[in-house]
Amino acid sequence: MNPDTNAVAREPQRVLIFDTTLRDGEQSPGATMSHAEKLEIAELLDAMGVDIIEAGFPIASEGDFRAVKEIAERSRRATICGLARAHPTDIDRAWEAVRHATSPRIHTFIGTSPLHRAIPNLTQDEMADRIHQTVTHARNLCDNVQWSPMDATRTEWDYLRRVVEIAIRAGATTINIPDTVGYTAPVESAELIRRLIAEVEGAEDVIFATHCHDDLGMATANSLAAVEGGARQIECTINGLGERAGNTALEEVVMALKVRGDIMPFHTEIDTTRIMNISRRVATVSGFPVQFNKAIVGKNAFAHESGIHQDGMLKNAETFEIMRPADVGLKETSLVMGKHSGRAALRSKLKELGHDVGDNQLQDIFVRFKSLADRKKEVYDEDIDALVRAQGAAEDALELTFLRVICGTEAPQSADLTMRVDGEDRQITAQGDGPVDATFAAIKGLVDHSARLQLYQVHAVTEGTDAQATVTVRLEESGRIVTGQSSDTDTVVASAKAYIAALNRLLVKRRLVPEGSDTPEINYRDVV
């Protein structure tokens, strides 16, 4: 038995958490993470108690392979998984990436619904043979093999049962049932798992998993229903990040099981007090802000404005809160830091907020903290979180060094900008229809690109006229989609930094897959 199977065998009510933020989450257009960011997120997932981390798709690129390999080598307790299509070369590459993990896993898949069978133009028998061959190949390399029939919820029942039995006989230890397009409903999700366990030969020897997408807003409900039906592994992502409408949100299923144990007597090994910290970090590195009213981790999840609600909260918090903010690692905003605070106080505050930083990182944050404290009357926990999240990568080719915007009641506006480009300072003056437009025009004048602005979004980190603004910018160029995010008390400066952050990511993508390159790119929309 592999470690995951052992855990469930010992505790039948234990639900394994399989996090695919670094694979399925990163497939969200514009959510590409840097190598260092992937390592950081993997470390946070490991520390919070995630059972299996799907670290990436090793065959997709050299960068993906290196990230999965290093995560596998650095992991402490989690099983590290690599995704592979039903091809021996994919499987070999995945194994090479994860083989040095303390607990490695290969996850291989193929689309089994009529629509997906038509893509490789395979008959049912031909596909069944490929499943047997590839799962056998994976099991010969690794004792821990997961197999997924992509678009399982739209696959004919008789054929789904047949191929699941083939995968089990070939050596799969986990059978994942993906609702790839978010089509199913909770009653169907539970019944499908229940029926597979009851009717598939060898079902008692494997763990059944569920992987749900949120196209109809039912991913969390479908995952919990599958657990009721007998699934003992939930595939999910932080903040529900993922293709199209996203995946099952880790924080939602974990807290649902914790809060409603009275009707769902299952448990996970997740340290829920770490949820808020990793949610914020994933939002920053992915460039996908969390909506204010998002369950569990949204800014308003524990906020109360209505007079009736506020009165009830003052008398008894349980009147309008079914969980404590501290349960997810959310501490009440406190004003304890200012311009007279020293490094020791800042380090202590960072640790309290869940940020374990090294000396060099502390020094960088401290310099920016002092600058912020000079500009703001009050420095809140959220401000300090934003300082940590706004740290630039050392390898960035572009850096803002000076910006002055001249505004008036009549257009055009003017921006004087100095940027460091590959170590050399360059200066330009540009005009635009407003201060942000002028700033972006200046940046474009120094960095040649044809990227189209897809998204420009601003929100305040805290309250007040001196609040930091967090700006998100998404760019698209020749099919490459990148996102940048930054915070500053000056919205125009934050906008410039976010635009430059996106351009830095675009430059990285250009290097990885140059235009006209023969390097094949994986079509992620053919993935689980």
Side-chain angles (χ1 to χ4, degrees):
M1 280 188 169
N2 65 66
D4 304 326
T5 311
N6 280 329
V8 173
R10 287 194 306 269
E11 302 177 76
Q13 303 308 97
R14 165 85 180 277
V15 175
L16 301 170
I17 297 298
F18 177 113
D19 185 275
T20 184
T21 302
L22 296 173
R23 198 279 298 171
D24 202 327
E26 205 205 11
Q27 288 171 204
S28 303
T32 303
M33 303 175 198
S34 70
H35 183 79
E37 288 166 347
K38 289 179 182 179
L39 298 183
E40 179 190 358
I41 297 303
E43 188 173 330
L44 292 173
L45 292 169
D46 201 7
M48 80 183 296
V50 165
D51 297 286
I52 307 102
I53 299 172
E54 188 164 56
F57 198 177
I59 197 71
S61 70
E62 184 60 30
D64 250 33
F65 175 82
R66 285 193 304 108
V68 176
K69 186 173 186 292
E70 191 164 347
I71 290 169
E73 292 168 346
R74 292 164 53 133
S75 64
R76 297 178 181 177
R77 58 166 301 281
T79 294
I80 304 301
C81 176
L83 185 69
R85 295 168 299 183
H87 299 293
T89 51
D90 276 44
I91 293 167
D92 290 342
R93 191 66 166 163
W95 174 239
E96 185 60 31
V98 302
R99 64 185 303 173
H100 296 297
T102 302
S103 173
R105 173 183 290 192
I106 296 173
H107 177 195
T108 185
F109 73 96
I110 195 167
T112 56
S113 70
L115 286 168
H116 284 268
R117 289 199 302 269
I119 295 172
N121 195 26
L122 295 176
T123 66
Q124 288 190 1
D125 289 342
E126 289 169 338
M127 181 167 284
D129 287 341
R130 181 176 292 186
I131 292 167
H132 175 76
Q133 292 165 8
T134 52
V135 174
T136 299
H137 182 62
R139 184 57 193 267
N140 285 337
L141 298 172
C142 182
D143 289 339
N144 190 340
V145 175
Q146 174 169 314
W147 179 74
S148 295
M150 185 167 63
D151 205 20
T153 55
R154 294 193 297 173
T155 300
E156 310 95 312
W157 164 251
D158 287 341
Y159 190 61
L160 181 62
R161 179 178 61 184
R162 175 188 174 189
V163 292
V164 168
E165 287 180 348
I166 288 171
I168 293 174
R169 286 198 300 270
T173 52
T174 297
I175 299 294
N176 177 47
I177 303 300
D179 183 28
T180 303
V181 293
Y183 179 74
T184 200
V187 65
E188 296 171 322
S189 180
E191 180 57 26
L192 181 58
I193 297 292
R194 192 176 291 118
R195 193 174 178 190
L196 285 166
I197 291 173
E199 299 185 30
V200 165
E201 185 178 340
E204 67 278 3
D205 298 324
V206 300
I207 292 172
F208 279 87
T210 181
H211 174 111
C212 300
H213 281 260
D214 207 33
D215 297 70
L216 292 176
M218 294 189 285
T220 294
N222 283 332
S223 296
L224 294 172
V227 170
E228 289 279 2
R232 288 298 177 267
Q233 176 181 298
I234 296 176
E235 301 206 356
C236 46
T237 61
I238 302 297
N239 299 338
L241 196 64
E243 280 282 2
R244 303 182 313 279
N247 288 52
T248 301
L250 179 149
E251 61 275 7
E252 292 178 13
V253 289
V254 167
M255 291 309 295
L257 292 174
K258 182 171 182 174
V259 173
R260 295 310 313 272
D262 56 327
I263 60 170
M264 293 181 287
F266 310 102
H267 70 278
T268 72
E269 293 297 308
I270 297 295
D271 179 355
T272 63
T273 64
R274 295 176 181 265
I275 284 176
M276 190 59 69
N277 180 44
I278 193 169
S279 167
R280 290 170 173 170
R281 190 64 188 133
V282 167
T284 298
V285 302
S286 67
F288 280 56
V290 176
Q291 67 188 63
F292 282 13
N293 62 336
K294 166 78 172 64
I296 315 299
V297 293
K299 185 176 181 179
N300 290 349
F302 295 95
H304 305 273
E305 185 171 336
S306 148
I308 294 174
H309 282 220
Q310 289 178 342
D311 182 61
M313 287 294 297
L314 290 171
K315 292 174 180 174
N316 183 348
E318 291 183 3
T319 54
F320 289 106
E321 284 187 353
I322 59 174
M323 63 195 108
R324 298 174 303 163
D327 290 342
V328 296
L330 183 65
K331 293 178 173 58
E332 185 179 353
T333 300
S334 57
L335 176 62
V336 295
M337 301 295 291
K339 63 182 180 180
H340 299 297
S341 300
R343 286 180 181 80
L346 179 60
R347 186 188 287 276
S348 176
K349 171 56 70 174
L350 288 168
K351 189 171 183 180
E352 177 187 324
L353 295 174
H355 304 295
D356 188 12
V357 301
D359 291 340
N360 291 339
Q361 190 179 11
L362 175 66
Q363 176 60 25
D364 177 58
I365 296 170
F366 183 70
V367 170
R368 291 182 293 113
F369 163 72
K370 282 291 190 179
S371 175
L372 177 64
D374 283 337
R375 288 177 284 152
K376 284 199 63 167
K377 296 176 183 177
E378 303 172 337
V379 180
Y380 293 94
D381 291 354
E382 290 93 339
D383 291 314
I384 295 172
D385 269 327
L387 288 177
V388 178
R389 298 196 301 270
Q391 280 189 294
E395 67 271 17
D396 283 351
L398 311 174
E399 181 185 355
L400 177 70
T401 58
F402 174 80
L403 174 63
R404 178 177 59 198
V405 178
I406 300 173
C407 298
T409 56
E410 296 181 3
Q413 315 297 326
S414 176
D416 296 325
L417 180 138
T418 304
M419 267 178 64
R420 187 161 292 129
V421 181
D422 291 327
E424 175 189 345
D425 283 346
R426 300 180 185 176
Q427 191 274 335
I428 193 172
T429 298
Q431 294 182 329
D433 185 15
V436 173
D437 188 54
T439 300
F440 286 5
I443 295 170
K444 191 169 184 179
L446 291 180
V447 183
D448 183 37
H449 67 86
S450 58
R452 181 174 61 88
L453 182 65
Q454 279 194 334
L455 172 74
Y456 173 75
Q457 182 172 297
V458 183
H459 77 267
V461 174
T462 55
E463 307 301 324
T465 56
D466 62 351
Q468 288 194 92
T470 293
V471 176
T472 303
V473 168
R474 186 179 303 159
L475 303 176
E476 185 274 332
E477 180 189 71
S478 302
R480 306 181 189 95
I481 301 175
V482 291
T483 306
Q485 193 176 78
S486 188
S487 300
D488 197 275
T489 53
D490 187 319
T491 303
V492 180
V493 172
S495 300
K497 289 180 177 178
Y499 194 92
I500 291 168
L503 285 176
N504 275 311
R505 291 191 170 195
L506 182 61
L507 294 177
V508 171
K509 276 205 166 187
R510 282 178 179 175
R511 289 197 298 269
L512 290 176
V513 186
E515 239 179 315
S517 169
D518 291 332
T519 304
E521 288 193 82
I522 298 296
N523 183 354
Y524 283 121
R525 283 151 188 80
D526 292 342
V527 176
V528 182

